[in-house]
């Protein structure tokens, strides 16, 4: 029988679905409305796409497995093949349209709903799946996809193999080396057309997969990827919006390529979820951007718009205050009244607006005490979050009051999810309030992990936060998280699989964050997890500022700073600027420029700088404050490409809604040759002006016709440049090049 088709979406992004009367519902294609095939005019093509397409939701259950495939791939689930359409619903709420496709499998009793949402003007689809057990017996889920799409090679010209015509961008995310994007064809990543479709097989049975296991969502890879047509720049970019374990895979099927995205699975994450009759499971949300040209950069611009549109509103997104934090290349976890007061004065002089006291303010151990494994002595004793009398003989309030007197908002570091094995809280809370496996509390690096599904764990943290806000008047909390607890916990009642317990805690943590912000709407919460080990939109949609790295070497930091907007909006991505008295002028310029196109996390030792050096820091922050209002609406560009870890020249540009472009350039190799920076999006009449540099000046040569900027650095350094229109009365000497 002829399938019925549904085209849903808008001009920017549309879906083409096929509803087979006696078969499953399938997503045939996704893209700009004009690029989708017409079922009436191209029935044969649509029939081919339908043969290759996957069901809307891939479901694997214990006892049903897969049919038609084998290996490690999460496709062809037997339940998925049995799903039949029961209804389609469309609704619109403001600028957001939602499509719900309801399906049911008679054998298992499962009812599955694929939910898609589109926002006007943003070519990004948000997708998730609801699974409900309408049968009379429990069903154990082993995998539920949030998004599945085949026919990703449908636009390649005839004769061009997808193994070479499609490239994949993936991002390794090592600690202190975050956002390491690399591009390779599917063949280079190990996926080939092995020719077996002609012999009745589905394909190679291989896959390109990226998996994150444990409570750090981005400790090895970002929960992102991009599939790009090498020839045209058509691109599909995805992000998995989850703060725990996740899985993404690309594979070949019937001569084409598919993508599936999900949260935890049984095979990869020890996740199984037993769904009782009338119970419901919700998959993790994902977002998928599709653009017809411009490759990863255009797709990332769309995803940046999506991130801004789908996060919790907070005034910090607009204010962007400069935050001083006493940790990085500064006190390094050894704060005290004596050490902090000079830093407070120097930070205020430099122009900081928030002063956050980092780790150690609660430490009753002798200064410099080191515990097992070389960590600070307080490492395995945290959990009460009470001030340290030895470190603050006049009380912590003395320092906090001094911060306020200097015109800054006081803040404190907190690691809420962990309790040290030596902490009194470890004995005060019941075992069920912690992660356990086989009834044994987990220990990782001298810490227990709280399970925020348990009311005692949540009540403890609520009491801590409310006390710090009420009694100390803090307006900023840095929420750190420095352990990865592994696959998970078997849960308060001992019945969950580890992966299911972790997923439950992940969601409870997000709910806890929402509760804190509901009670304290003006409080700023910073996201941190050993630097950037929890860089995901689930958390970034709630917290207004995110620490992107723990990198201490200013020469390595630019590669991280330049790539950070791939995963974090500029107005949320906090980059360290840690000036030290031993820095040369050129080095000081690199230190400061690295933070000037994001959120500034000032640190280092401003109290030890010379007056001239401190004036340079103040100048940089004054300049930052003059344009920071542009960052919340700016889109990122990488005119020299996404930065490699050892690249000698790096560039990051932000183009604002008012037409202004800010360009940061770093030279790390000391080579004298000029680098040419293409800036094709600039409007006529725009010219460059140096906003900030220190020491020897970079030589600029602007070609207005080609819209390229030549830059020569006499020594390794960095420069911040603005492009805008010349104004009457402006000193022409401030502008470079000629028309």
């Amino acid at each position: 029988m002829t399938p019925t088709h549904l085209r849903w979406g808008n001009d920017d992004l549309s879906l083409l679905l096929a509803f087979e009367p006696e078969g499953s519902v399938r997503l045939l294609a996704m893209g700009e409305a004009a690029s989708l095939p017409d079922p009436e005019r191209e029935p044969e093509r649509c029939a081919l796409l339908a043969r290759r397409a996957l069901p809307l939701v891939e479901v694997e259950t214990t006892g049903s497995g897969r049919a038609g495939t084998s290996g490690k791939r999460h496709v062809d689930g037997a339940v998925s093949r049995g799903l039949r359409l029961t209804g389609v619903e469309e609704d619109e709420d403001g600028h957001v349209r939602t499509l719900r496709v309801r399906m049911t499998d008679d054998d298992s009793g499962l009812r599955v709903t694929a939910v898609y949402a589109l926002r006007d003007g943003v070519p990004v689809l948000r997708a998730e799946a609801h699974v409900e057990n309408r049968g009379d017996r429990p069903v154990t889920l082993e995998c539920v996809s949030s998004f599945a799409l085949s026919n990703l090679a449908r636009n390649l010209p005839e004769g061009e193999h997808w193994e070479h015509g499609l490239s994949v961008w993936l991002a390794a995310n090592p600690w202190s080396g975050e956002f390491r994007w690399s591009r390779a064809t599917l063949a280079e990543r190990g996926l080939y057309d092995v020719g077996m479709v002609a012999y009745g097989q589905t394909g190679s049975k291989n896959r390109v997969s990226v998996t994150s296991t444990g409570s750090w969502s981005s400790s090895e890879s970002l929960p992102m990827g991009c599939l790009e047509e090498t020839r045209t720049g058509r691109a599909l970019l995805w992000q998995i919006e989850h703060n725990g374990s996740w899985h993404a895979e690309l594979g070949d099927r019937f001569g084409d390529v598919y993508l599936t995205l999900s949260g935890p699975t049984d095979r990869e994450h020890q996740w199984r979820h037993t769904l009782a009759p009338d119970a419901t499971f919700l998959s993790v949300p994902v977002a998928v951007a599709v653009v017809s040209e411009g490759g990863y950069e255009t797709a990332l611009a769309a995803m940046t718009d999506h991130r801004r549109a789908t996060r919790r509103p907070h005034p910090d997104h607009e204010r962007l205050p400069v935050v001083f934090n006493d940790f990085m290349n500064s006190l390094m976890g050894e704060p005290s009244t004596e050490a902090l007061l000079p830093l407070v004065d120097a930070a205020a002089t430099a122009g900081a607006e928030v002063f956050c006291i980092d780790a150690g303010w609660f430490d009753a151990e002798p200064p410099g005490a080191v515990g097992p494994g070389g960590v600070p002595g307080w490492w395995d004793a945290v959990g009460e979050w009470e001030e340290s009398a030895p470190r603050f003989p006049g009380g912590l309030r003395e320092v906090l009051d001094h911060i306020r007197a200097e015109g800054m908002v006081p803040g404190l570091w907190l690691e809420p999810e962990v309790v040290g094995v030596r902490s009194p809280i470890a004995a005060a809370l019941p075992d069920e309030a912690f992660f356990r496996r086989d009834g044994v509390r987990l220990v990782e690096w001298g810490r227990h992990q709280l399970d925020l599904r348990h009311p005692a764990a949540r009540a403890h943290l609520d009491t801590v936060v409310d006390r710090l806000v009420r009694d100390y008047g803090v307006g900023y909390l840095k929420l750190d998280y420095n352990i990865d607890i592994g696959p998970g916990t078997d849960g308060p009642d001992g019945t969950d699989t580890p992966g299911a317990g972790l997923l439950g805690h992940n969601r409870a943590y997000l709910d806890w964050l929402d509760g804190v912000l509901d009670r304290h709407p003006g409080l700023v919460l910073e996201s941190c997890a050993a630097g950037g080990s929890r860089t995901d939109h689930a958390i970034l949609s709630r917290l207004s500022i995110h620490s992107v790295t723990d990198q201490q070497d200013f020469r390595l930091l630019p590669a991280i700073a330049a790539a950070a907007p791939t995963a974090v909006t500029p107005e949320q991505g906090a980059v360290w600027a840690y000036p030290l008295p031993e820095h040369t002028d050129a080095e000081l310029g690199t230190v400061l420029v690295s933070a000037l196109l994001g959120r500034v996390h000032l640190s280092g030792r401003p109290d030890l700088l010379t007056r001239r050096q401190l004036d340079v820091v103040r100048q940089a922050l004054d300049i930052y404050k003059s344009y920071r209002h542009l960052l919340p609406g700016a889109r990122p560009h990488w005119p020299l490409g996404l930065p490699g870890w050892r690249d000698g020249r790096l560039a990051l540009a932000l183009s604002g809604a008012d037409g202004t472009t800010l360009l940061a350039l770093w030279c790390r190799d000391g080579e004298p040759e000029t680098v040419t920076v293409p800036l094709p999006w600039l409007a006529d009449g725009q010219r460059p002006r140096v906003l900030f540099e220190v020491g020897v000046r970079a030589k600029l040569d602007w070609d207005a016709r080609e819209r390229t900027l030549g830059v020569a650095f006499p020594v390794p350094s960095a420069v911040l440049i603005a492009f805008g229109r010349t104004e009457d009365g402006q000193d022409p000497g401030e502008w470079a090049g000629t028309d």
Side-chain angles (χ1 to χ4, degrees), residues 194-448:
V194 297
M196 293 297 290
V197 174
Y199 298 91
Q201 301 296 320
T202 58
S204 69
K205 304 189 190 313
N206 283 31
R207 62 181 182 175
V208 176
S209 65
V210 191
T211 298
S212 180
T213 299
S215 53
W216 277 342
S217 60
S218 60
S219 61
E220 293 182 312
S221 300
L222 288 179
M224 297 178 61
C226 183
L227 189 69
E228 190 176 76
E229 288 184 10
T230 308
R231 179 178 53 85
T232 66
R234 185 187 305 273
L236 181 152
L237 175 80
W238 72 84
Q239 69 177 18
I240 300 175
E241 301 181 346
H242 178 50
N243 55 320
S245 298
W246 51 265
H247 179 73
E249 73 180 41
L250 290 156
D252 65 306
R253 194 170 182 276
F254 295 120
D256 211 294
V257 178
Y258 73 83
L259 168 71
T260 63
L261 307 173
S262 75
T265 68
D266 181 32
R267 191 176 300 116
E268 283 82 12
H269 308 103
Q270 301 181 37
W271 178 87
R272 291 186 305 281
H273 183 80
T274 300
L275 203 61
D278 298 323
T280 301
F281 173 76
L282 175 64
S283 74
V284 305
V286 303
V288 182
V290 180
V291 296
S292 59
E293 59 185 4
Y296 69 86
E297 186 168 298
T298 302
L300 281 167
M303 193 63 76
T304 299
D305 292 343
H306 165 78
R307 291 166 181 161
R308 287 171 171 152
T310 55
R311 68 191 177 194
R312 180 185 180 116
H314 197 287
D316 190 58
H317 290 140
E318 304 297 328
R319 295 173 184 166
L320 313 190
V322 174
V323 177
F324 185 91
N325 180 293
D326 66 38
F327 185 78
M328 190 59 67
N329 292 343
S330 187
L331 302 186
M332 299 296 292
E334 296 288 354
S336 66
T337 300
E338 181 181 8
L340 284 167
L341 291 181
L343 273 178
V344 171
D345 294 339
T349 300
E353 296 154 301
V354 174
F355 191 104
C356 182
I357 301 173
D358 207 273
W361 60 269
F362 42 80
D363 179 19
E365 305 280 347
V370 177
V375 296
W378 50 259
W379 186 265
D380 59 358
V382 296
E384 284 190 293
W385 309 112
E386 298 282 355
E387 67 178 78
S388 167
R391 291 178 179 273
F392 303 99
L396 179 60
R397 286 181 184 83
E398 177 186 1
V399 178
L400 300 179
D401 288 345
H402 191 64
I403 292 171
R404 275 186 285 267
E406 290 295 326
M408 295 180 290
V409 174
L412 292 173
W413 180 94
L414 198 65
E415 195 169 0
E417 293 160 84
V418 301
V419 173
V421 296
R422 293 194 294 121
S423 171
I425 300 299
L429 294 178
D431 282 345
E432 293 81 7
F434 296 94
F435 273 40
R436 298 176 300 158
R437 286 203 284 276
D438 298 328
V440 178
R441 273 196 207 184
L442 300 186
V443 177
E444 178 69 14
W445 210 1
R447 279 114 170 267
H448 299 302

Side-chain angles (χ1 to χ4, degrees), residues 424-489:
I425 300 299
L429 294 178
D431 282 345
E432 293 81 7
F434 296 94
F435 273 40
R436 298 176 300 158
R437 286 203 284 276
D438 298 328
V440 178
R441 273 196 207 184
L442 300 186
V443 177
E444 178 69 14
W445 210 1
R447 279 114 170 267
H448 299 302
Q449 166 81 45
L450 287 172
D451 187 338
L452 287 183
R453 295 176 296 172
H454 195 280
R458 181 160 178 163
H460 162 63
L461 292 190
D462 284 342
T463 299
V464 168
V465 171
D466 293 349
R467 172 172 53 83
L468 295 178
V469 174
R470 181 189 64 244
D471 295 351
Y472 290 96
V474 299
Y476 187 102
L477 287 175
K478 175 178 178 177
L479 304 184
D480 209 342
Y481 180 58
N482 288 300
I483 63 169
D484 187 334
I485 202 60
T489 175

